[in-house]
């Protein structure tokens, strides 16, 4: 297998290429890690990496590969230098934490400060209202929610900063593995909310990266 990593992507678009591990064989992943391990000048984020995949490649990368089981991510050669901008990653419930963790780890890899605000779903609206002033001071907000996904609309109606919605596959039967949350967020009456694919915390963090880099250029 030939590795064709996009080494110029960071300079071109402001974030390096990430390696999506889901579905890759051990042999493929070892080949990728072996090449990237030889480029310490190129920080790399691995997403959807299982613990067994990490164990299969860790000796190729040594101390340069840092794995986080909660977010199922690994970082090789450290994070990008600190950048200006802070992001709140807000979840409806604790079941949404793995997706929020992926978003936070991606943001930290990209050099941004990220704060998780957990368990403020609209079924207990007082929990959100207690923290809405705190949420409103962040430059970008990522809202992660499953089930009816109403949290994105409520936060979008209470705050004005850029907000990115991430539906999760959390919920019983009619939640349909996140399809209901996705449609609810796409149908939100809160104005101007972009919506990621189901469980795509990584994509939300990359969207926040684009927003913050644009704000920082002004």
């Amino acid at each position: 297998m030939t590795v064709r990593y996009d080494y110029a992507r960071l300079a071109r678009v402001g974030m390096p290429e990430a390696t999506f591990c889901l579905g890759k064989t051990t042999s493929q992943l070892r080949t990728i890690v072996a090449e990237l391990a030889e480029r310490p000048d190129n920080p790399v984020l691995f997403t959807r990496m299982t613990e067994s995949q990490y164990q299969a490649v860790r000796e190729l990368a040594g101390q340069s590969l840092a794995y986080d089981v909660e977010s199922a991510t690994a970082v090789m050669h450290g994070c990008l230098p600190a950048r200006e901008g802070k992001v709140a990653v807000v979840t409806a419930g604790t079941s949404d934490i793995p997706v929020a963790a992926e978003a936070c780890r991606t943001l930290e890899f990209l050099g941004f400060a990220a704060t998780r605000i957990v368990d403020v779903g609209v079924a207990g609206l007082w929990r959100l209202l207690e923290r809405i002033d705190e949420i409103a001071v962040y430059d970008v907000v990522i809202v992660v929610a499953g089930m009816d996904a109403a949290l994105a609309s409520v936060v979008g109606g209470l705050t004005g900063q850029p907000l990115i919605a991430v539906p999760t596959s959390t919920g019983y039967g009619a939640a349909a593995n996140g399809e209901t949350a996705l449609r609810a967020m796409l149908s939100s009456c809160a104005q101007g909310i972009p919506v990621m694919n189901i469980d795509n915390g990584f994509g939300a963090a990359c969207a926040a990266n684009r927003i913050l880099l644009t704000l920082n250029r002004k």
Side-chain angles (χ1 to χ4, degrees):
M1 183 184 110
T2 301
V3 178
R4 302 193 65 189
Y5 186 84
D6 187 359
Y7 290 104
R9 187 175 300 183
L10 175 60
R12 192 172 68 248
V13 303
M15 47 191 155
E17 181 177 5
T19 299
F20 183 68
C21 300
L22 185 65
K24 285 184 171 58
T25 66
T26 297
S27 175
Q28 289 168 340
L29 199 54
R30 285 178 63 86
T31 300
I32 293 167
V33 170
E35 172 169 324
L36 297 178
E38 299 300 318
R39 296 289 299 263
D41 59 322
N42 189 81
V44 182
L45 176 69
F46 296 84
T47 66
R48 299 299 168 92
M49 177 180 274
T50 65
E51 193 159 7
S52 62
Q53 285 177 320
Y54 167 65
Q55 295 298 336
V57 301
R58 62 183 300 187
E59 81 278 4
L60 296 172
Q63 296 300 312
S64 69
L65 188 66
Y67 181 67
D68 177 65
V69 66
E70 184 179 48
S71 62
T73 62
V75 171
M76 181 184 281
H77 306 314
C79 300
L80 299 186
R83 290 163 156 176
E84 185 177 350
K86 56 184 183 177
V87 182
V89 181
V90 181
T91 77
T94 52
S95 296
D96 303 313
I97 285 177
V99 177
E102 181 182 65
C104 286
R105 191 98 193 281
T106 303
L107 287 162
E108 290 160 2
F109 169 74
L110 293 171
F112 295 106
T115 301
R116 273 192 275 180
I117 298 175
V118 177
D119 199 19
V120 292
V122 299
L125 192 57
W126 59 271
R127 291 186 291 231
L128 173 62
L129 295 176
E130 281 185 346
R131 305 197 68 176
I132 197 65
D133 289 341
E134 175 187 352
I135 293 169
V137 305
Y138 287 85
D139 300 302
V140 178
V141 177
I142 295 172
V143 173
V144 181
M147 296 192 178
D148 61 5
L151 182 62
S153 292
V154 175
V155 175
L158 293 174
T159 65
Q161 66 268 63
L163 190 153
I164 303 159
V166 186
T168 73
S169 50
T170 302
Y172 295 106
N177 295 315
E179 294 286 345
T180 297
L182 173 63
R183 286 173 170 77
M185 287 176 167
L186 288 171
S187 303
S188 173
C189 60
Q191 297 154 285
I193 297 179
V195 181
M196 296 295 107
N197 209 337
I198 298 165
D199 292 336
N200 191 4
F202 167 76
C206 292
N209 178 90
R210 291 179 180 272
I211 292 168
L212 291 168
L213 290 185
T214 299
L215 291 174
N216 291 342
R217 283 200 293 267
K218 292 181 178 179

